[in-house]
Amino acid sequence: MKITRQVAEETDFLRKQMSGAERRQWVDRLLEQYAPLVWNSVATRYDSETEAEDAFVYIFTLIILKLNRHTIETLSEDWIRAMIDEGLQTTPPSLPPLEQEFKDEELHGQDGESGSCENPIPLHLNRRAQQMMRAQIAMQEALRHHKGPLWSKIGATVAVLVGIVGVGYGVSDRVYAHFHHTEPVEASSEQGNTGHVVGELSATPVGLYQLPSLSTVDLNHVSVGQNALFVSRLAQSVDSWPRIDSDEHPFATADKPLGTPSNSFSMELVPPMQRSAKQGAKGWQISSWRVEPMDHWLIGIVSWTDGSKGHGVEQIYALNTDNGKYSLVQTLTPEAGVSNQFVVAVGDGRVIVQSGLDDGTGAPPLGLPILVYALNGSDPLHAWTQSGQIPASFGLMQTPIATADGIVFQGIVGKDETSAANTATWYELSWNGQLSHLYGPPVDGQSHWAVRGSTGTLWWVETTPDASQNHSGLQVSMAELGANKPSTAAKNLDTSVDGFAVDGSYMMWIVPDGHQYRMVVAQAE
């Protein structure tokens, strides 16, 4: 009986846990919504601004590590205040300062609602907390991977204390996405061979670029189109609406700097309409954004939040790369009385959109039919047309990608399935509505992606913190994604990477190269 109860408790714990990728999505949301509340609490508690700042960062680190699927369903100001009280009961350790590798104007406006805060938030503090939160997520991922998933249950608080004091994760802008920075190593002669840069991975290099530093590009905002990269940036100003700028760089394997773009494009973003007469456009903040190339179009997907409970507004923009015209073509707004969730994916000349209705009872969201859109013509407003829809009674898709054969997604929101071999169950939904089960990656708390290669083969890709001696960063592996467990072992990249991303059939990563860095773009086979 005792063993059965223990297994049940551990199973329930694992079910509630969030992956590192899920936690990272909440970092900016938490800061946007609760930074003023936390700062007011610590600023009135401590006379020293340094102590107050350390406490601010420490409390947000506690919050991000204690966040789980049950917590986010009932996330409230009361729970945040409980975390504040818990954080203030402990003397926060002296934290490393944020390295000033960026200009002050890059931080301008990143403190969200600091203007409405009783005690104005120091300009750099949100950025410092953001880096430390992401760093602690990376550390917890590493502990979970090497000591088992239940380590995080036993050692979450230990990870906070040890990680903040003893580990320099995230204190530099050179920390990219998951792990701490390592000093660049001297380049070997093998690195000049384009075939070698992919190691065992079933992929072909299509782009090699030199980067002076890790902060040169943000792989989260690099996307791949027809024989070209698109490097995008979000520009925000106090006196105008935000704007996304995208630079096009043709594929090149000469291993030279990105250089001058062949084309540049811009699209201005329009904040959603206010929900009441008292609320203006300034109440809306961008929580996430991305740009996806599709034929002769750039598709901008922008998520907005106004700080209220529930999910925000999703917008879809289309920019024609032949004439530069762009327009807001679709706005996804929550229904009154329910909490909507939206997923959007771009691929194979299609844009797919699905809404999920959450009634607040804790049950998995109800999946509405998947709407399929295409762009026909050159004027965005008139080109945007619905080309079909697919029933989705199974629920809301999780992290979908659109391929030539259908939609591949990493499970169903609120309905995690695990095989007897402790692997995730993924799905492929054909364009005619046929749903198939796929034998997914191991359930190990790591970040995963689905990729369809140039030959039509489906792959899952995983990044794992590199714990080998004298190394840090991420290890990359991939294996076939199919109806049966692959008969061969996963294929590995034989070097650690400092940043990794996937877009369509392409994988991108950054590795040290002499006294600078190299960005590799490779297409899965």
Side-chain angles (χ1 to χ4, degrees), residues 364-404:
L366 172 67
L368 299 184
I370 300 164
L371 305 182
V372 184
Y373 295 90
L375 286 159
N376 301 304
S378 58
D379 182 78
L381 271 178
H382 299 97
W384 180 258
T385 55
Q386 183 179 332
S387 58
Q389 72 175 32
I390 306 172
S393 58
F394 53 80
L396 180 65
M397 299 183 295
Q398 185 167 292
T399 322
I401 65 167
T403 75

Short mmCIF file of all heavy atoms in Angstrom, two decimals, residues 364-404:
data_model
loop_
_atom_site.label_atom_id
_atom_site.label_comp_id
_atom_site.label_asym_id
_atom_site.label_seq_id
_atom_site.Cartn_x
_atom_site.Cartn_y
_atom_site.Cartn_z
N PRO A 364 -9.46 19.49 -19.67
CA PRO A 364 -8.71 19.91 -20.86
C PRO A 364 -9.57 20.83 -21.74
O PRO A 364 -10.79 20.66 -21.81
CB PRO A 364 -8.41 18.59 -21.58
CG PRO A 364 -8.45 17.56 -20.49
CD PRO A 364 -9.51 18.03 -19.54
N PRO A 365 -8.96 21.80 -22.40
CA PRO A 365 -9.75 22.70 -23.23
C PRO A 365 -10.42 21.97 -24.39
O PRO A 365 -9.90 20.99 -24.91
CB PRO A 365 -8.70 23.71 -23.74
CG PRO A 365 -7.38 23.03 -23.58
CD PRO A 365 -7.53 22.14 -22.39
N LEU A 366 -11.59 22.46 -24.75
CA LEU A 366 -12.33 21.91 -25.87
C LEU A 366 -11.71 22.41 -27.17
O LEU A 366 -11.55 23.61 -27.37
CB LEU A 366 -13.80 22.33 -25.79
CG LEU A 366 -14.69 21.99 -26.99
CD1 LEU A 366 -14.86 20.47 -27.10
CD2 LEU A 366 -16.05 22.67 -26.85
N GLY A 367 -11.32 21.49 -28.03
CA GLY A 367 -10.70 21.89 -29.29
C GLY A 367 -11.72 22.20 -30.36
O GLY A 367 -12.57 21.37 -30.70
N LEU A 368 -11.67 23.41 -30.88
CA LEU A 368 -12.55 23.79 -31.99
C LEU A 368 -11.94 23.33 -33.31
O LEU A 368 -10.75 23.00 -33.37
CB LEU A 368 -12.76 25.31 -31.99
CG LEU A 368 -13.42 25.89 -30.73
CD1 LEU A 368 -13.65 27.39 -30.90
CD2 LEU A 368 -14.72 25.18 -30.41
N PRO A 369 -12.71 23.30 -34.39
CA PRO A 369 -12.16 22.87 -35.68
C PRO A 369 -10.93 23.69 -36.08
O PRO A 369 -10.84 24.88 -35.79
CB PRO A 369 -13.32 23.11 -36.65
CG PRO A 369 -14.55 22.99 -35.79
CD PRO A 369 -14.16 23.58 -34.47
N ILE A 370 -10.00 23.02 -36.74
CA ILE A 370 -8.78 23.66 -37.21
C ILE A 370 -9.08 24.37 -38.52
O ILE A 370 -9.55 23.75 -39.49
CB ILE A 370 -7.67 22.61 -37.42
CG1 ILE A 370 -7.38 21.89 -36.11
CG2 ILE A 370 -6.41 23.26 -37.98
CD1 ILE A 370 -6.61 20.60 -36.28
N LEU A 371 -8.84 25.68 -38.55
CA LEU A 371 -9.09 26.47 -39.76
C LEU A 371 -7.81 26.56 -40.57
O LEU A 371 -6.73 26.81 -40.03
CB LEU A 371 -9.59 27.85 -39.38
CG LEU A 371 -10.82 27.89 -38.46
CD1 LEU A 371 -11.24 29.34 -38.19
CD2 LEU A 371 -11.98 27.11 -39.06
N VAL A 372 -7.93 26.36 -41.87
CA VAL A 372 -6.78 26.37 -42.78
C VAL A 372 -6.91 27.58 -43.70
O VAL A 372 -7.95 27.76 -44.36
CB VAL A 372 -6.70 25.07 -43.60
CG1 VAL A 372 -5.45 25.07 -44.47
CG2 VAL A 372 -6.71 23.85 -42.68
N TYR A 373 -5.87 28.40 -43.75
CA TYR A 373 -5.88 29.61 -44.56
C TYR A 373 -4.76 29.57 -45.60
O TYR A 373 -3.74 28.89 -45.42
CB TYR A 373 -5.69 30.86 -43.69
CG TYR A 373 -6.84 31.12 -42.73
CD1 TYR A 373 -6.81 30.58 -41.44
CD2 TYR A 373 -7.93 31.88 -43.10
CE1 TYR A 373 -7.85 30.81 -40.55
CE2 TYR A 373 -8.98 32.11 -42.22
CZ TYR A 373 -8.92 31.57 -40.95
OH TYR A 373 -9.96 31.80 -40.07
N ALA A 374 -4.97 30.30 -46.69
CA ALA A 374 -3.97 30.45 -47.74
C ALA A 374 -3.93 31.91 -48.16
O ALA A 374 -4.81 32.71 -47.80
CB ALA A 374 -4.30 29.56 -48.94
N LEU A 375 -2.89 32.28 -48.89
CA LEU A 375 -2.75 33.63 -49.43
C LEU A 375 -2.68 33.54 -50.94
O LEU A 375 -1.73 32.99 -51.50
CB LEU A 375 -1.50 34.31 -48.85
CG LEU A 375 -1.63 34.75 -47.39
CD1 LEU A 375 -0.26 34.92 -46.75
CD2 LEU A 375 -2.42 36.07 -47.30
N ASN A 376 -3.69 34.07 -51.59
CA ASN A 376 -3.79 34.01 -53.05
C ASN A 376 -3.89 35.43 -53.60
O ASN A 376 -4.89 36.10 -53.39
CB ASN A 376 -5.01 33.19 -53.49
CG ASN A 376 -4.96 31.77 -52.95
OD1 ASN A 376 -4.00 31.06 -53.19
ND2 ASN A 376 -5.98 31.35 -52.22
N GLY A 377 -2.85 35.88 -54.27
CA GLY A 377 -2.83 37.25 -54.79
C GLY A 377 -1.64 38.00 -54.23
O GLY A 377 -0.70 37.41 -53.68
N SER A 378 -1.68 39.32 -54.36
CA SER A 378 -0.55 40.14 -53.91
C SER A 378 -0.93 41.17 -52.86
O SER A 378 -0.08 41.69 -52.16
CB SER A 378 0.10 40.85 -55.11
OG SER A 378 -0.86 41.66 -55.77
N ASP A 379 -2.23 41.47 -52.74
CA ASP A 379 -2.69 42.42 -51.74
C ASP A 379 -3.10 41.64 -50.49
O ASP A 379 -4.00 40.79 -50.56
CB ASP A 379 -3.87 43.23 -52.25
CG ASP A 379 -4.34 44.26 -51.22
OD1 ASP A 379 -3.68 45.30 -51.10
OD2 ASP A 379 -5.33 43.99 -50.53
N PRO A 380 -2.45 41.88 -49.35
CA PRO A 380 -2.69 41.03 -48.18
C PRO A 380 -4.15 40.90 -47.77
O PRO A 380 -4.62 39.80 -47.49
CB PRO A 380 -1.85 41.72 -47.08
CG PRO A 380 -0.84 42.51 -47.81
CD PRO A 380 -1.47 42.95 -49.09
N LEU A 381 -4.87 42.01 -47.72
CA LEU A 381 -6.25 41.96 -47.25
C LEU A 381 -7.12 41.07 -48.12
O LEU A 381 -7.98 40.34 -47.62
CB LEU A 381 -6.82 43.38 -47.19
CG LEU A 381 -6.63 44.15 -45.88
CD1 LEU A 381 -7.21 45.54 -45.99
CD2 LEU A 381 -7.24 43.40 -44.71
N HIS A 382 -6.91 41.14 -49.43
CA HIS A 382 -7.73 40.36 -50.34
C HIS A 382 -7.17 38.95 -50.56
O HIS A 382 -7.90 38.04 -50.97
CB HIS A 382 -7.87 41.09 -51.67
CG HIS A 382 -8.52 42.43 -51.56
ND1 HIS A 382 -7.82 43.60 -51.49
CD2 HIS A 382 -9.84 42.79 -51.48
CE1 HIS A 382 -8.65 44.63 -51.38
NE2 HIS A 382 -9.89 44.16 -51.36
N ALA A 383 -5.89 38.77 -50.31
CA ALA A 383 -5.26 37.47 -50.55
C ALA A 383 -5.59 36.45 -49.46
O ALA A 383 -5.60 35.25 -49.70
CB ALA A 383 -3.75 37.63 -50.67
N TRP A 384 -5.86 36.93 -48.24
CA TRP A 384 -6.11 36.05 -47.10
C TRP A 384 -7.46 35.38 -47.24
O TRP A 384 -8.51 36.02 -47.20
CB TRP A 384 -6.04 36.86 -45.81
CG TRP A 384 -6.28 36.10 -44.54
CD1 TRP A 384 -7.42 36.08 -43.80
CD2 TRP A 384 -5.35 35.26 -43.85
NE1 TRP A 384 -7.26 35.29 -42.69
CE2 TRP A 384 -5.99 34.77 -42.69
CE3 TRP A 384 -4.03 34.87 -44.09
CZ2 TRP A 384 -5.37 33.92 -41.79
CZ3 TRP A 384 -3.40 34.02 -43.19
CH2 TRP A 384 -4.07 33.56 -42.06
N THR A 385 -7.47 34.06 -47.44
CA THR A 385 -8.72 33.32 -47.62
C THR A 385 -8.67 32.02 -46.85
O THR A 385 -7.61 31.41 -46.69
CB THR A 385 -8.95 33.00 -49.12
OG1 THR A 385 -7.81 32.29 -49.63
CG2 THR A 385 -9.18 34.27 -49.93
N GLN A 386 -9.85 31.61 -46.37
CA GLN A 386 -9.94 30.31 -45.70
C GLN A 386 -10.12 29.24 -46.76
O GLN A 386 -11.05 29.29 -47.56
CB GLN A 386 -11.10 30.28 -44.71
CG GLN A 386 -11.19 28.97 -43.93
CD GLN A 386 -12.32 28.95 -42.92
OE1 GLN A 386 -12.73 29.98 -42.41
NE2 GLN A 386 -12.85 27.76 -42.64
N SER A 387 -9.22 28.25 -46.74
CA SER A 387 -9.26 27.21 -47.77
C SER A 387 -9.86 25.91 -47.27
O SER A 387 -10.08 24.98 -48.06
CB SER A 387 -7.84 26.94 -48.30
OG SER A 387 -6.97 26.56 -47.25
N GLY A 388 -10.14 25.81 -45.97
CA GLY A 388 -10.75 24.60 -45.45
C GLY A 388 -10.74 24.56 -43.94
O GLY A 388 -10.26 25.49 -43.28
N GLN A 389 -11.28 23.48 -43.39
CA GLN A 389 -11.23 23.26 -41.95
C GLN A 389 -11.23 21.77 -41.67
O GLN A 389 -11.70 20.97 -42.47
CB GLN A 389 -12.38 23.96 -41.22
CG GLN A 389 -13.75 23.37 -41.41
CD GLN A 389 -14.79 24.08 -40.54
OE1 GLN A 389 -14.69 25.27 -40.27
NE2 GLN A 389 -15.78 23.33 -40.10
N ILE A 390 -10.65 21.41 -40.50
CA ILE A 390 -10.52 20.00 -40.13
C ILE A 390 -11.13 19.83 -38.74
O ILE A 390 -10.77 20.55 -37.81
CB ILE A 390 -9.03 19.58 -40.09
CG1 ILE A 390 -8.34 19.91 -41.41
CG2 ILE A 390 -8.90 18.10 -39.78
CD1 ILE A 390 -6.84 19.71 -41.37
N PRO A 391 -12.05 18.88 -38.56
CA PRO A 391 -12.61 18.65 -37.23
C PRO A 391 -11.51 18.26 -36.24
O PRO A 391 -10.54 17.59 -36.60
CB PRO A 391 -13.59 17.48 -37.46
CG PRO A 391 -13.89 17.52 -38.92
CD PRO A 391 -12.64 18.00 -39.58
N ALA A 392 -11.67 18.66 -34.99
CA ALA A 392 -10.65 18.38 -33.98
C ALA A 392 -11.31 18.06 -32.65
O ALA A 392 -11.03 18.70 -31.63
CB ALA A 392 -9.70 19.56 -33.85
N SER A 393 -12.18 17.06 -32.65
CA SER A 393 -12.88 16.69 -31.41
C SER A 393 -11.94 16.14 -30.36
O SER A 393 -12.30 16.04 -29.18
CB SER A 393 -13.97 15.66 -31.72
OG SER A 393 -13.40 14.51 -32.33
N PHE A 394 -10.72 15.78 -30.76
CA PHE A 394 -9.75 15.22 -29.81
C PHE A 394 -9.27 16.25 -28.80
O PHE A 394 -8.78 15.90 -27.73
CB PHE A 394 -8.55 14.61 -30.55
CG PHE A 394 -7.90 15.56 -31.54
CD1 PHE A 394 -7.02 16.54 -31.11
CD2 PHE A 394 -8.19 15.47 -32.89
CE1 PHE A 394 -6.43 17.41 -32.01
CE2 PHE A 394 -7.61 16.33 -33.80
CZ PHE A 394 -6.72 17.31 -33.36
N GLY A 395 -9.34 17.54 -29.14
CA GLY A 395 -8.89 18.58 -28.22
C GLY A 395 -8.02 19.61 -28.90
O GLY A 395 -8.03 19.76 -30.13
N LEU A 396 -7.23 20.34 -28.11
CA LEU A 396 -6.38 21.41 -28.62
C LEU A 396 -4.97 20.89 -28.86
O LEU A 396 -4.34 20.31 -27.98
CB LEU A 396 -6.34 22.56 -27.60
CG LEU A 396 -5.49 23.78 -27.97
CD1 LEU A 396 -6.05 24.50 -29.19
CD2 LEU A 396 -5.38 24.74 -26.79
N MET A 397 -4.47 21.11 -30.07
CA MET A 397 -3.13 20.65 -30.44
C MET A 397 -2.06 21.37 -29.62
O MET A 397 -2.20 22.55 -29.29
CB MET A 397 -2.86 20.89 -31.93
CG MET A 397 -3.79 20.18 -32.87
SD MET A 397 -3.35 20.47 -34.62
CE MET A 397 -3.66 22.23 -34.75
N GLN A 398 -0.99 20.66 -29.33
CA GLN A 398 0.13 21.23 -28.60
C GLN A 398 1.34 21.34 -29.51
O GLN A 398 1.82 20.35 -30.04
CB GLN A 398 0.45 20.35 -27.39
CG GLN A 398 1.53 20.90 -26.47
CD GLN A 398 1.58 20.15 -25.16
OE1 GLN A 398 0.65 20.21 -24.35
NE2 GLN A 398 2.64 19.40 -24.94
N THR A 399 1.83 22.57 -29.73
CA THR A 399 3.01 22.86 -30.54
C THR A 399 2.93 22.20 -31.92
O THR A 399 3.74 21.34 -32.28
CB THR A 399 4.30 22.39 -29.82
OG1 THR A 399 4.20 22.65 -28.43
CG2 THR A 399 5.52 23.12 -30.39
N PRO A 400 1.96 22.59 -32.74
CA PRO A 400 1.83 21.97 -34.07
C PRO A 400 2.80 22.54 -35.09
O PRO A 400 3.28 23.67 -34.96
CB PRO A 400 0.39 22.31 -34.45
CG PRO A 400 0.13 23.63 -33.78
CD PRO A 400 0.90 23.58 -32.48
N ILE A 401 3.13 21.73 -36.10
CA ILE A 401 3.81 22.20 -37.31
C ILE A 401 3.00 21.74 -38.51
O ILE A 401 2.36 20.69 -38.46
CB ILE A 401 5.27 21.69 -37.40
CG1 ILE A 401 5.30 20.16 -37.56
CG2 ILE A 401 6.09 22.13 -36.20
CD1 ILE A 401 6.67 19.63 -37.97
N ALA A 402 3.01 22.53 -39.57
CA ALA A 402 2.28 22.19 -40.79
C ALA A 402 3.27 21.66 -41.83
O ALA A 402 4.30 22.28 -42.09
CB ALA A 402 1.55 23.42 -41.33
N THR A 403 2.97 20.50 -42.40
CA THR A 403 3.84 19.87 -43.39
C THR A 403 3.03 19.56 -44.65
O THR A 403 1.81 19.76 -44.69
CB THR A 403 4.46 18.57 -42.85
OG1 THR A 403 3.46 17.54 -42.83
CG2 THR A 403 5.00 18.77 -41.43
N ALA A 404 3.71 19.01 -45.66
CA ALA A 404 3.02 18.66 -46.90
C ALA A 404 2.00 17.55 -46.68
O ALA A 404 0.99 17.48 -47.39
CB ALA A 404 4.05 18.23 -47.95
#
